[in-house]
Amino acid sequence: MKKNIKTTLIALFALLPLGMQAQSVVTKNQYEGTQILNSDFEDFHKVNNKIEPDYWHSFATAQGLFASLTNQDLEQVDDTRTGSQGKSSVAIRSTSVLGFVANATLTTGRMNAGAMQAEDLQNHAFTEVSESTDAAGFPFYAKLTERPTAISVWLKFTPQKGTPQASLSAVITNGSRYQEPKDNDYTDVIVGEAKNTAIDASNDWQHLVIPFSYDEFNGGDPQAIMVTLSTNATPGAGSKGDELLIDDLELIYTHKIEIPASGYATFTNTVMKNHKVVMPEGLKGYALAVNADGEPYITDTLEAGDVLPYNATLLLEGKADNYTFSTTLYDDPKAVPVAGDEGLVPASELNNPLDGYKYFYLTGEGTTLAFRKADTGLKIQDDKALLRVKADKAAESYQHILFTPEPKGDINDDGQQSIADITALVNRLLGKQEQSSKLFIPSADVNDDSSTTIADVTALVNILLGKGN
C-alpha cells in the first residue's frame, strides 16, 4: 500500500507545471472617465523645455502675465512607495521668484500666474472642459463621469524649515470653469470634493485616503475633476526647496452588499466598467458552472483580498452582515472561470434572456440553499447574479444542503481517504475542473494554511501513511 502511494505521488508530481505566471495588460484609455490618466506617474514628456507628467500640469505650462518668470523644480524620480508596481514617482519642489517663495504645484487643470503677490487670486489653478491642450497635446482637464467614494494617494513631504503643511484638493465639476483659490461661489459647478490642507512632513511614504463629500453641492452630473497638490496649503508661506513626492494616486469606488441570515448571496461586479473590486475580509467567493447533468458545481474559490475583474459573478459565503467592496486600479485581477456557456451570469441578463436557457435566483431557506426559477418579469438587483442553465436539462429548482463535516483529505467526496484523493488533489493543482453534482466540493487545504499547494499533497500522503491527522 505505502509503495503504491509513493509511486503514484511521483507520477502525479511530474505533471505539475513550474514557474507559470499570467500577465495582464492595462491601457490608459481603459480608465478614462473613472480614473485620472497617468496617476501612477510613470510617463513624462518635455514641454517648453521643461518636464511634466503626461496628463498633469505645473508652472511649466502656466498662462498669465507672469508665467514667463515661473521656474518650478519638477523631476521624475525612482523613489517609489513600498509595494508599488511602478518604477517612478514625481517630485515637486518650491522655488524663489524675485525673492518671493513660489509653492510647488501639480494639477490636472492649468496654472495661471497673473500677479507677483502669492496670495493674489490671479495666481490659481483652473479647469474647464475645452479643446485646448499644452504643446505636447495633453488637455488641461481630467475627464471624470463617475462619483468616487474617496481619493487615495501616497506622499512623502520634506519641508526645509518650520512646520509647514502640504495640501491636496480634488474637486469634481460639471465641466464648467472652476478655480482654486476660489474667486466666487462655485456651488452650482461643484459636484463633490475631497480635501486635506494639513499634510504633515514625513520621513517615509505616507498613505492618505480622503473621502469625497457630495451633499452640499448641486453641480449636477460629473464631467471633470481637478486634482491639485501643493507643497504648502497657504500661497507663498513655504520655503525654497520644500519637496513633495507623489505616487500612485487613485480614485476609490466602494460598493456595499448584505449577506442575509442564510450566510450566502450572489454578487456581480458592476461597480465600475473596466474596474476591479477587492474581496473584503470575512467573505469567500465561489465561481459556479453547470455539469452535464444540469447541476451547478464550483469551478474556483476566491478568498478575501483577491481582486476580481469587472462583471465577475460569484456565490458569496460569510456571516450575516454588511460588507464593503473597494475598487483597485493597480492590482492584477484573478480570473473567475466558468465552464462552457452555463453558470453564474449578471442578473441584468434577465432583461434580455438568451433563447434556450432558463435562469434561477438564489434563496436561503433554513439549512437549505436553493436556486429557484426566475421569470423574466422578476426584479433583481443589478449587483446580483443568476444561474443560467440550458432549458432542456434545467430542473424546477436546485436545492443543496449546506456544509456538513468531511473527513480531512477526502478530496473526491467519497467518504474515505485514498489514493484517488491524491489524484483529485493534483488535478485541482493542474486546474482541471471537477464535474461533481455536489455544489460544495470539499476543501483541498489539507494542511490548513489557507491555500492549496503541493504541500497539501505531501500532507495528504502523510495522512495515508499514518504520519498525519
Side-chain angles (χ1 to χ4, degrees):
M1 171 67 175
K2 293 184 177 180
K3 182 177 181 182
N4 289 339
I5 292 174
K6 291 180 179 178
T7 303
T8 303
L9 181 62
I10 292 172
L12 293 173
F13 263 72
L15 297 175
L16 292 172
L18 299 175
M20 297 180 65
Q21 184 176 1
Q23 298 293 328
S24 64
V25 177
V26 176
T27 61
K28 290 192 179 299
N29 288 337
Q30 188 176 355
Y31 295 102
E32 188 174 7
T34 64
Q35 288 290 333
I36 299 167
L37 302 184
N38 194 39
S39 51
D40 51 359
F41 302 104
E42 294 299 305
D43 300 318
F44 288 71
H45 63 279
K46 276 193 173 183
V47 60
N48 300 334
N49 294 319
K50 299 177 182 178
I51 191 173
E52 280 189 336
D54 293 1
Y55 299 98
W56 291 80
H57 302 284
S58 64
F59 281 111
T61 48
Q63 67 172 27
L65 185 63
F66 295 93
S68 61
L69 297 179
T70 59
N71 185 31
Q72 179 173 299
D73 184 0
L74 184 151
E75 183 182 7
Q76 181 181 15
V77 295
D78 60 6
D79 185 353
T80 59
R81 59 101 174 173
T82 302
S84 174
Q85 296 186 7
K87 296 181 179 179
S88 70
S89 64
V90 60
I92 57 174
R93 305 178 186 94
S94 58
T95 59
S96 177
V97 180
L98 300 179
F100 296 96
V101 174
N103 295 337
T105 303
L106 188 69
T107 181
T108 58
R110 189 174 193 179
M111 299 301 300
N112 188 83
M116 283 299 297
Q117 293 75 25
E119 66 276 7
D120 195 306
L121 294 181
Q122 288 297 312
N123 298 319
H124 58 260
F126 72 98
T127 188
E128 62 183 328
V129 177
S130 70
E131 298 298 323
S132 62
T133 66
D134 63 21
F138 294 103
F140 290 109
Y141 78 95
K143 182 178 180 181
L144 183 70
T145 55
E146 304 291 344
R147 294 172 181 252
T149 305
I151 185 168
S152 164
V153 67
W154 290 82
L155 301 174
K156 184 190 286 188
F157 179 43
T158 309
Q160 290 302 299
K161 59 183 180 181
T163 56
Q165 294 177 312
S167 68
L168 180 150
S169 167
V171 180
I172 303 170
T173 72
N174 60 12
S176 302
R177 190 185 188 282
Y178 171 79
Q179 79 168 53
E180 277 194 6
K182 296 177 185 176
D183 57 342
N184 58 56
D185 183 4
Y186 285 94
T187 304
D188 291 339
V189 172
I190 300 173
V191 177
E193 70 176 14
K195 292 190 175 184
N196 187 334
T197 58
I199 301 172
D200 292 322
S202 56
N203 294 324
D204 202 353
W205 287 96
Q206 56 179 315
H207 183 205
L208 301 181
V209 178
I210 309 168
F212 277 95
S213 58
Y214 292 96
D215 294 342
E216 63 265 41
F217 307 108
N218 52 17
D221 294 330
Q223 295 295 323
I225 182 170
M226 187 173 83
V227 177
T228 306
L229 298 108
S230 176
T231 52
N232 202 292
T234 304
S239 303
K240 181 180 178 181
D242 291 346
E243 180 183 73
L244 181 65
L245 271 63
I246 311 162
D247 198 11
D248 286 353
L249 182 144
E250 179 181 6
L251 299 177
I252 297 176
Y253 301 83
T254 58
H255 181 73
K256 293 186 182 298
I257 190 170
E258 180 182 2
I259 300 295
S262 67
Y264 295 89
T266 57
F267 172 70
T268 298
N269 171 23
T270 57
V271 177
M272 194 64 50
K273 281 190 174 181
N274 299 323
H275 219 78
K276 298 161 287 190
V277 300
V278 181
M279 181 78 74
E281 290 295 327
L283 287 187
K284 182 178 288 188
Y286 303 99
L288 301 186
V290 175
N291 66 14
D293 295 323
E295 295 184 336
Y297 68 96
I298 294 173
T299 61
D300 199 9
T301 301
L302 296 98
E303 307 288 345
D306 282 339
V307 179
L308 314 176
Y310 176 70
N311 249 17
T313 51
L314 297 170
L315 174 66
L316 300 178
E317 176 198 12
K319 293 182 179 179
D321 203 349
N322 289 304
Y323 297 84
T324 299
F325 288 83
S326 62
T327 65
T328 179
L329 173 63
Y330 298 105
D331 293 331
D332 289 334
K334 181 172 182 179
V336 178
V338 296
D341 54 0
E342 298 174 278
L344 283 181
V345 297
S348 58
E349 190 172 304
L350 196 62
N351 297 324
N352 295 288
L354 297 180
D355 291 337
Y357 292 87
K358 290 186 177 180
Y359 295 84
F360 299 82
Y361 67 97
L362 181 70
T363 65
E365 302 173 355
T367 59
T368 300
L369 192 67
F371 283 94
R372 302 203 178 279
K373 194 180 299 181
D375 298 323
T376 53
L378 185 67
K379 291 186 177 181
I380 300 179
Q381 293 174 236
D382 290 341
D383 64 353
K384 300 300 183 184
L386 299 173
L387 181 67
R388 183 174 70 192
V389 185
K390 285 185 178 178
D392 60 355
K393 60 181 182 181
E396 283 302 305
S397 67
Y398 297 92
Q399 295 191 35
H400 300 273
I401 303 301
L402 298 186
F403 294 111
T404 56
E406 304 281 355
K408 182 174 290 189
D410 180 19
I411 308 301
N412 64 358
D413 193 36
D414 64 357
Q416 59 184 344
Q417 302 157 325
S418 66
I419 294 176
D421 294 305
I422 299 178
T423 303
L425 178 51
V426 171
N427 281 338
R428 288 197 196 182
L429 294 174
L430 291 171
K432 296 182 179 179
Q433 295 175 349
E434 299 175 55
Q435 303 290 315
S436 170
S437 62
K438 181 177 179 180
L439 180 59
F440 291 103
I441 298 173
S443 171
D445 181 19
V446 182
N447 63 0
D448 294 324
D449 66 351
S450 300
S451 63
T452 302
T453 65
I454 295 175
D456 293 298
V457 177
T458 303
L460 179 52
V461 170
N462 286 333
I463 290 175
L464 295 177
L465 292 174
K467 298 180 180 179
N469 296 323

